[in-house]
Amino acid sequence: MNKQSPIGVIDSGVGGLTVLKCMMEHMPQENLLYLGDTARTPYGSRSREEIQSFVDEMIAWLVAQGVKQVVVACNTVTMLGLENIKKNHDFDIVGMSKGENTLLSLTKNKKIGVIATEFTIKSEAHKKAILAVDPTAEVVGVPCPKFVPLIEGEQFDSQELKDAVNEYTSILKKAGVDIMIMSCTHFPFVRDLLGQYLGAGVALVNPADETCENARKNLQSKNLVNDGAQGSVTICCTADLERVKRLAAREIDIEKCTFKVVNLEDVK
Ligand code: DGL
């Protein structure tokens, strides 16, 4: 492992590309190696055991690529606990930030919305993190299981997506939240629609920035920041390369990226 080794970035599908976008902006000198398990997405409605076994396979594949750090660009996988992902590997793992301090510094009425997968909301990790800083805050968690299949399925102009956005944001509006965190990395793909339905009075927080900053600080502390001029970006997926390219183009400059389909079995 050295400074030029790639940083692995994982997600169940294309969601983590919203974090990769941030890393491309703030860590342009790093070699970034994205792996999205598009063959088995979504993860958010699956059992802990199943998610853990898929993640073990992704990490084994990244080990074979010689990564120096892994950014878990997936809130659902982060909920497994970073120690369950790291195991005995010598690289560090950075999970999705829960954004508790940012949320509490920006809210005026202390009513905070969290939207995420069923798995993430059930864990109550965000609620616990926010209440640990300020027990007087009110946290409204809304599981949004319809979003990931619609986003992976490129249903951006569908009535189904508008209905789902309306259903989930209505709960938050009724509760009177003045800020909401997108705690599933797929959701920034529909940030504009979420903003429209929530209205100007509700701020939207994307924890990707904080996550990216944590990844950068971690590399610095390990003296592993790449001092090269320009890093490379490779986007790998386990299925549907053309669909992944179209979705990636919504978030990032795909001219800067190399795309590949990979078989996670190859390292076994
Ligand atoms: N993008 C993921 C997250 O941040 C998971 C979506 C899914 O596979 O259900 O939670």
Side-chain angles (χ1 to χ4, degrees), residues 99-114 130 134 136-141 169-182 194-195 197-206:
E100 61 273 28
N101 293 317
T102 305
L103 292 163
L104 286 164
S105 70
L106 294 174
T107 181
K108 292 195 176 68
N109 66 7
K110 291 198 192 180
K111 290 185 182 177
I112 299 169
V114 180
I130 295 165
D134 186 344
T136 67
E138 190 185 317
V139 182
V140 184
T169 53
S170 297
I171 302 170
L172 296 165
K173 283 199 284 190
K174 214 165 158 189
V177 304
D178 71 352
I179 195 160
M180 182 197 78
I181 184 163
M182 296 178 282
L194 285 166
Y197 277 77
L198 282 168
V202 183
L204 251 64
V205 173
N206 181 355

Side-chain angles (χ1 to χ4, degrees), residues 129-223:
I130 295 165
L131 296 184
V133 181
D134 186 344
T136 67
E138 190 185 317
V139 182
V140 184
V142 181
C144 306
K146 292 177 188 168
F147 281 163
V148 175
L150 288 167
I151 292 165
E152 289 280 344
E154 303 174 272
Q155 300 299 305
F156 296 101
D157 299 320
S158 69
Q159 189 56 43
E160 246 180 302
L161 178 63
K162 288 190 189 108
D163 291 346
V165 171
N166 186 39
E167 178 187 335
Y168 301 141
T169 53
S170 297
I171 302 170
L172 296 165
K173 283 199 284 190
K174 214 165 158 189
V177 304
D178 71 352
I179 195 160
M180 182 197 78
I181 184 163
M182 296 178 282
S183 293
C184 169
T185 54
H186 279 77
F187 299 176
F189 273 94
V190 294
R191 51 171 90 73
D192 292 348
L193 210 53
L194 285 166
Q196 271 170 39
Y197 277 77
L198 282 168
V202 183
L204 251 64
V205 173
N206 181 355
D209 290 310
E210 253 176 54
T211 304
C212 184
E213 181 56 12
N214 290 343
R216 205 188 53 74
K217 279 191 200 147
N218 171 265
L219 287 182
Q220 224 163 24
S221 74
K222 298 274 155 142
N223 195 24

Side-chain angles (χ1 to χ4, degrees), residues 10-19 34 37 40-46 51 72-79 96 115-120 144-145 147-149 152 182-188:
I10 58 167
D11 181 50
S12 65
V14 298
L17 294 171
T18 63
V19 180
Y34 184 86
D37 193 5
R40 299 185 291 200
T41 193
Y43 281 10
S45 315
R46 295 179 188 268
I51 300 169
V72 180
C74 177
N75 292 268
T76 305
V77 172
T78 301
M79 294 308 121
M96 288 305 295
I115 58 168
T117 63
E118 284 172 299
F119 192 84
T120 300
C144 306
F147 281 163
V148 175
E152 289 280 344
M182 296 178 282
S183 293
C184 169
T185 54
H186 279 77
F187 299 176

